[in-house]
């Protein structure tokens, strides 16, 4: 293990902040306790001095955290709605054929009315989207009866050039990761506006699992996503007589 002297002090500081002040409390917004937080503050002060920062707010102020009280308040407030435990999307049904009808298929097989569908909203600049692609590819191979349909939209959050040829090239260069159907949204953002925005989920990748059009899951790639997909596959399987 490397000595602290061999590691960037700012990186050590960030690790200390995450390990001592943030991660132990970020899920406690609905069961907040003051005493453990302020005990952690004292531990953090000692650690940052060891690293070489007598005033930790030299760094923390850059992240709009100029006091420990503000850090506490951010943690007590918790994440926005769609990232909170137990969140359920208001989107209840998706017309899959209508959503992808105007879209261009760039690679893979066309949607053919499969009962179980996974819609994957993504962009090439999204690191977590690229990390989830191999996992979705494995699931596509595990469940050939499921239509896993990626929908690329580079402008999902802000205007960007519409360039299907660039996305096609990207998919070709990364075809080992994207082994499932890949559509590109229209220049106007048809799928984004008719499906993604209605989920109230404000990040990508945004995975939507549907069974006969009924939404079973909205969110990131996770164990909950996999459980919802498995449940939908079992529900759609022919019943034994």
């Amino acid at each position: 293990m490397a000595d602290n002297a061999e590691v960037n002090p700012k990186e050590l500081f960030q690790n200390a902040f995450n390990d001592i002040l943030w991660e132990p409390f970020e899920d406690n917004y609905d069961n907040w306790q003051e005493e453990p937080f302020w005990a952690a503050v004292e531990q953090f002060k000692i650690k940052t001095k060891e690293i070489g920062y007598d005033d930790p707010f030299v760094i923390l102020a850059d992240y709009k955290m100029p006091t420990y009280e503000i850090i506490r308040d951010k943690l007590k407030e918790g994440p926005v709605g769609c990232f909170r435990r137990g969140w359920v999307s208001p989107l209840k049904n998706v017309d899959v054929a209508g959503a992808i009808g105007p879209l261009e298929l760039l690679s893979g097989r066309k949607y053919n009315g499969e009962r179980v569908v996974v819609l994957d909203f993504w962009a090439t600049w999204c690191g977590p989207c690229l990390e989830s692609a191999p996992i979705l590819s494995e699931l596509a191979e595990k469940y050939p009866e499921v239509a896993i349909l990626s929908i690329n939209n580079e402008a999902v959050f802000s205007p960007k050039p519409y360039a299907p040829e660039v996305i096609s090239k990207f998919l070709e260069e990364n075809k080992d990761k994207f082994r499932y159907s890949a559509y590109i949204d229209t220049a106007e953002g048809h799928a984004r506006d008719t499906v993604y925005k209605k989920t109230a989920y404000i990040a990508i990748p945004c995975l939507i699992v549907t069974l006969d059009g009924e939404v079973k899951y909205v969110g990131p790639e996770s164990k909950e996503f996999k459980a919802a997909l498995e449940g939908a596959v079992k529900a759609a399987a022919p019943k034994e007589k």
Side-chain angles (χ1 to χ4, degrees), residues 94-154:
V94 174
D95 175 5
V96 177
I100 66 169
L103 278 53
E104 179 182 352
L105 179 67
L106 299 181
S107 66
R109 70 188 190 194
K110 283 188 176 182
Y111 173 63
N112 193 35
E114 287 86 351
R115 295 184 62 194
V116 180
V117 175
V118 176
L119 299 178
D120 167 32
F121 284 88
W122 71 287
T124 59
W125 46 260
C126 166
C129 298
L130 306 185
E131 291 174 5
S132 69
I135 297 170
L136 293 175
S137 292
E138 291 175 4
L139 291 171
E141 292 163 358
K142 180 179 180 180
Y143 301 118
E145 69 274 31
V146 174
I148 299 184
L149 315 173
S150 78
I151 301 175
N152 172 271
N153 189 318
E154 299 294 292

Side-chain angles (χ1 to χ4, degrees), residues 176-197:
D176 57 322
K177 296 179 180 178
F178 289 83
R179 304 188 303 277
Y180 50 99
S181 302
Y183 287 83
I184 185 169
D185 205 351
T186 65
E188 297 77 20
H190 171 79
R192 176 197 61 198
D193 294 344
T194 61
V195 180
Y196 172 75
K197 285 187 175 181

Side-chain angles (χ1 to χ4, degrees), residues 225-240:
F225 157 70
K226 290 179 179 176
L229 176 58
E230 183 178 353
V233 169
K234 288 182 178 179
K239 301 296 186 290
E240 294 183 3

Side-chain angles (χ1 to χ4, degrees), residues 45-88:
K45 289 177 181 178
I46 294 170
K47 186 65 176 179
T48 53
K49 282 188 177 181
E50 291 176 357
I51 295 169
Y53 291 93
D54 289 332
D55 180 6
F57 293 103
V58 169
I59 294 179
L60 292 176
D62 292 339
Y63 296 92
K64 298 182 179 180
M65 296 183 183
T67 68
Y68 289 117
E69 288 77 10
I70 287 177
I71 295 171
R72 176 201 60 190
D73 291 347
K74 286 179 180 289
L75 287 164
K76 287 177 68 175
E77 181 182 2
V80 297
C82 66
F83 300 124
R84 298 176 84 92
R85 283 187 298 272
W87 175 80
V88 177

